[in-house]
Structure formats: structure tokens, C-alpha cells
Amino acid sequence: MRPLIGIPCHPAYRHGSQRPIYGNNRAYVHAIEDAGGVPVLIPLVHDLSALEALLAHLDGLLLPGGQDIQPRRYGEEPHPRLGDTDPALDEFELTLAHWALQEEKPMLGICRGMQLLNVALGGTLYQDLESQYAGSLRHMNQDRPRSQVVHRVLIEPGTCLAAITGEREFWANSIHHQAVKEPGKGVQVAARAEDGVVEAIEVPTRRFVVALQCHPEEIYRQVPACARVFSAFVQACGLREAVPQPQRALSLPVGAA
């Protein structure tokens, strides 16, 4: 049976009518599907405990890209160049991340998802690379196609990411202005850009917890390393325990509103 992989939805507005909707980019859905998984979109419900009935059936979690995370989540005041934030979205995705960690579910973080995973584990972020990280490359490239690769990602030898990709480096797209600053508890840096900015993290003590700062869902058809990450993630999600363990109650992360 193909594994079921949850992808959180984000609040948005329908083009034209401006009706409020929940959704996410199709690229995440198709990347999971092409790797052999079944994507399941998770709406942002008012009562997060209601998600327990759904989460009990999921085999893994993909944390997607999106807007900035509230700095109070990692003990900082907002920087003047902080982008838009959404407290309800932060609470929603942090709750899902803590659930996946608690239940030992495989997890793949992408862009904001990597930053959120790091925050969930007690780490911090650069709120704006251009103003806070001296000598940084141009990491925010919203004016370019999302599939355009712009810089190299240098993989740390001996990491899970190195074993998954079989590569020492790959070219990636880049659509972010924030990045991991201090890694969280148990977090290992798995790759960096040429300027030293963290481009991938992992938690080697977990079955599969890997995150990339780039958007592999946009380039996996042209960058084999990214395709291998999705394949390894879906494969890990398909390795169910021989004896199912009881699901524990869904709990909010520390500091949740």
C-alpha cells in the first residue's frame, strides 16, 4: 500500500472572487505522487485536537514553504525586515511537527518547513539574511522562475543527505530571505551554500527527519539529488512498524497561543 503523507494547507484567497480558501502548491502534491506516495492535504481547523482522527492514518509529514515564522517562537523580537507572519499557521504547523516527532513519523521540511522544524527543536533563525548575514549570496529570487537553479549546495560528508543523494553537491533554486541560525536540539547541519548559509538539516537519531532550504519540489525532474530525497522520504514513510503503536493525544507545542 502506498504511504499516506500529510501536507499542511495554508490560508489563501481564490483568484477573482477573493473567497477564503485553504490550499498549497501543486508541486508538493506531484513530487510526493511521483515518488510513490499519496499526498493528503491537511486543512487548518479551528480545533487542532480534531486532527487526531486524521493523523492516526498518516505515515509521514511534509512541512512546506511559506511565510515567515513569528520570532517570539524562538525568543527574539521582530526585525524591521521581517515578512508577514500568521500566528495560527505557526501553531498549526508546530503542532504537526511535534506530533510527527512524538510518533516517530518520517518528516521532510522544505524552505519555511526547514526553519519551522529547527524552531520546533529549540533552534533560532536569521530573520533577514541580507541585513544579518555578512557576505551572503542573493538567496531571495522571487523575480526568477521557481525552477531556475542559482547556486550550489555543498553536502556535508557522512550525513544522511550525503547517503541519500550519493552526491557531494548539487545546484538548487533559492526563494528565501531567512535561514537557520542556531541549530535546534539534535539537529545536524547537512549542507551549506557557498556563503556558509545552512541549506539542509537533519536529525540523525530519527528514522527520517531531513529538511532542505531550497524548493526540491520545483526542480526534482532536473536535479537527480532532489528526486532521490523525495524517493527516500516516501520509502521511509512506507516502512511501517510490524506492530502498530497506539497514537498519543495531540499536544500543542510549548509557547503555543
Side-chain angles (χ1 to χ4, degrees):
M1 182 181 296
R2 294 169 63 146
L4 303 179
I5 298 171
I7 305 174
C9 289
H10 290 178
Y13 292 93
R14 186 179 300 280
H15 179 70
S17 69
Q18 292 300 297
R19 293 178 62 187
I21 61 174
Y22 290 123
N24 219 315
N25 295 347
R26 296 181 186 182
Y28 298 115
V29 169
H30 296 311
I32 292 298
E33 179 186 20
D34 289 349
V38 178
V40 178
L41 294 176
I42 309 174
L44 202 170
V45 296
H46 291 126
D47 179 7
L48 295 183
S49 65
L51 292 173
E52 292 179 18
L54 170 62
L55 298 183
H57 297 282
L58 296 182
D59 301 301
L61 177 69
L62 186 153
L63 293 171
Q67 61 196 105
D68 292 351
I69 299 165
Q70 280 202 328
R72 72 178 184 85
R73 294 288 182 174
Y74 48 95
E76 292 188 7
E77 293 298 316
H79 186 274
R81 299 185 69 172
L82 178 73
D84 292 338
T85 62
D86 184 335
L89 180 62
D90 290 348
E91 179 180 348
F92 173 51
E93 293 192 334
L94 283 168
T95 298
L96 293 177
H98 281 279
W99 163 80
L101 291 167
Q102 175 180 282
E103 299 297 329
E104 289 287 350
K105 299 290 185 180
M107 193 163 19
L108 175 63
I110 293 175
C111 198
R112 165 190 161 94
M114 179 174 105
Q115 298 160 11
L116 186 124
L117 174 61
N118 191 56
V119 170
L121 290 168
T124 63
L125 305 176
Y126 289 106
Q127 294 186 45
D128 180 71
L129 284 170
E130 186 178 5
S131 58
Q132 293 185 307
Y133 192 99
S136 69
L137 298 170
R138 182 188 178 195
H139 287 274
M140 176 56 83
N141 296 277
Q142 284 186 320
D143 57 327
R144 300 179 179 181
R146 291 175 66 86
S147 60
Q148 182 175 340
V149 297
V150 296
H151 68 70
R152 292 189 301 159
V153 173
L154 310 176
I155 302 175
E156 297 288 342
T159 58
C160 297
L161 185 62
I164 289 168
T165 64
E167 306 281 356
R168 293 292 302 273
E169 63 180 59
F170 63 93
W171 281 82
N173 51 6
S174 187
I175 319 170
H176 65 103
H177 83 114
Q178 298 194 323
V180 167
K181 183 163 60 176
E182 293 294 330
K185 183 178 180 181
V187 172
Q188 179 179 342
V189 174
R192 296 181 184 272
E194 294 167 87
D195 59 3
V197 168
V198 175
E199 287 286 335
I201 60 174
E202 58 190 42
V203 183
T205 57
R206 301 281 181 164
R207 180 153 57 103
F208 189 105
V209 177
V210 174
L212 302 180
Q213 185 57 67
C214 67
H215 280 269
E217 78 283 2
E218 303 285 356
I219 58 175
Y220 70 94
R221 290 188 175 95
Q222 69 196 75
V223 179
C226 292
R228 294 182 191 123
V229 169
F230 280 109
S231 293
F233 172 53
V234 172
Q235 182 179 8
C237 293
L239 298 176
R240 298 173 179 84
E241 296 175 336
V243 179
Q245 298 298 312
Q247 296 281 328
R248 291 179 282 275
L250 189 64
S251 58
L252 294 176
V254 175

